[in-house]
Amino acid sequence: MTRLIVWRHGNTDWNAASRVQGQTDIPLNDLGREQAAAAAPLLAALRPDAIVASDLRRAADTAAALAALTGLPVRADARLRERHFGRWQGLELAEAARRYPDEHARWRAGDPDPGADIESLDDLGKRVGAALQDAADAASGATIVIATHGGAARQGCGHLLGWDHTVLRAIGSLRNCHWTELRDSGTRGWHLRAHNVGVLTTTAAAEAV
């Protein structure tokens, strides 16, 4: 059985301010580092065989907290980056809504390709899903922890599961430093084992942007 633990990074200042990160390289804040440190022992107890991370700092530094406990190296994969949010990157969500009202309305309604140069959900799912599958293929029968981003995690997992974006809208966004677990027995294909697992904190996760 191959097991993927798809782990969202810890909190950042832009998460806290509801500012659209996308592929902007924003580091963890103090809370994010605390979240990673709290989650790492739970993940280490799962006895991972490999760690792969987005090359953006917030995911790479989250993965480093687990690497410090397990002694495993972290392999970087740029395909695990968050959705590219085009002209919205760097804007607060409220500002994006004012400046791009039509695109914002489509995004809120679940349009998979809302405009404003935002990466489509189909492209995102294929990109991240390919990275997840490659990580699994490289360590068949193992447990692999993947440190990535909220939107990337949802669409990438959905791609492996064969779920349409309309189905994925019913799945809650990952909280910071929480994870989704997928398993592949080799006969049934990928199935969802758990979602939004992690250490609860008093700070709610921001929108996965």
Side-chain angles (χ1 to χ4, degrees), residues 18 35 43-44 88 90 94 97 102-103 131 140 154 159 171 178 182:
S18 294
Q35 291 171 329
L43 291 169
W88 290 14
D102 293 340
E103 292 88 343
S140 181
R154 178 159 58 181
H159 182 78
I171 304 296
H178 283 56
L182 302 181

Side-chain angles (χ1 to χ4, degrees), residues 46-205:
L46 299 178
R47 301 177 65 85
D49 300 288
I51 306 171
V52 186
S54 159
D55 62 345
L56 297 179
R57 283 181 292 173
R58 57 191 185 272
D61 289 349
T62 298
L66 178 59
L69 290 183
T70 62
L72 294 169
V74 178
R75 180 173 66 82
D77 190 332
R79 295 176 297 172
L80 294 168
R81 289 183 178 187
E82 182 58 290
R83 185 182 192 181
H84 195 284
F85 270 84
R87 285 172 271 164
W88 290 14
Q89 292 192 165
L91 302 180
E92 291 183 359
L93 275 175
E95 183 180 2
R98 289 193 301 271
R99 292 176 59 177
Y100 302 96
D102 293 340
E103 292 88 343
H104 185 268
R106 290 198 293 271
W107 176 69
R108 280 293 188 193
D111 189 326
D113 194 3
D117 298 325
I118 297 171
E119 183 177 12
S120 74
L121 291 180
D122 184 58
D123 286 348
L124 174 63
K126 289 177 179 177
R127 167 168 64 82
V128 179
L132 296 179
Q133 187 64 61
D134 286 351
D137 290 344
S140 181
T143 295
I144 308 106
V145 174
I146 309 286
T148 184
H149 309 265
R154 178 159 58 181
Q155 296 303 134
C157 289
H159 182 78
L160 291 190
L161 293 166
W163 293 358
D164 186 80
H165 70 90
T166 56
V167 175
L168 291 175
R169 277 179 60 79
I171 304 296
S173 298
L174 281 175
R175 300 181 183 96
N176 285 118
C177 260
H178 283 56
W179 58 88
T180 296
E181 180 179 341
L182 302 181
R183 294 187 182 183
D184 182 358
S185 65
T187 56
R188 292 179 51 201
W190 291 105
H191 64 279
L192 179 67
R193 175 70 175 181
H195 179 64
N196 246 337
V197 181
V199 180
L200 290 176
T201 67
T202 57
T203 303

